[in-house]
Every structure is written in C-alpha cells, then in structure tokens.
Amino acid sequence: MGVLIVKPEKAPRMASIASDLNSLQQVVGGYIEAVCPYDDPVAIVCHEEGKLIGLPLNRKLED
C-alpha cells in the first residue's frame, strides 16, 4: 500500500509497504495506533507508546 512517512524534523516521503501489521509496526518502531481525524478515507498511524517512552513530537495537526 502507498504511505506517506512523516518523521520529526524531516521532509515527508512516499513509500510502498505491505499492508500487514508487522510492516506497519516496523515503520513506527513498535506497537501501532491508528487515528482517523478526517472524513477522507485515510488514517494516521503512529507509535502507540511514543509519548510514554519520550519519542520526539512530530507535526501539529490543525484544521
């Protein structure tokens, strides 16, 4: 599946990954959490425990 990888302080990049759980976990570096804040059929997939383990903050989501 096509994804947009957005890492803190880096430019977003397009990538193609498999759609299985293991592939998603490899991209975020751990357990995943999917957030669907928009009406469009997209999800933001992030590290579920990122804040708890002190990962750097990424971009702010605004309307």
Side-chain angles (χ1 to χ4, degrees):
M1 78 175 140
V3 298
L4 182 64
I5 297 178
V6 183
K7 293 186 176 187
E9 300 184 29
K10 296 196 176 176
R13 68 178 176 88
M14 295 290 296
S16 182
I17 64 170
S19 60
D20 61 283
L21 177 62
N22 186 49
S23 296
L24 293 169
Q25 288 177 328
Q26 283 182 333
V27 171
V28 302
Y31 295 115
I32 65 167
E33 177 179 359
V35 181
C36 301
Y38 309 112
D39 292 333
D40 296 324
V42 298
I44 297 170
V45 179
C46 56
H47 192 300
E48 182 179 62
E49 299 174 328
K51 287 174 84 174
L52 295 174
I53 62 174
L55 291 179
L57 297 176
N58 208 323
R59 289 153 176 82
K60 181 178 177 181
L61 294 177
E62 296 182 312
D63 289 338

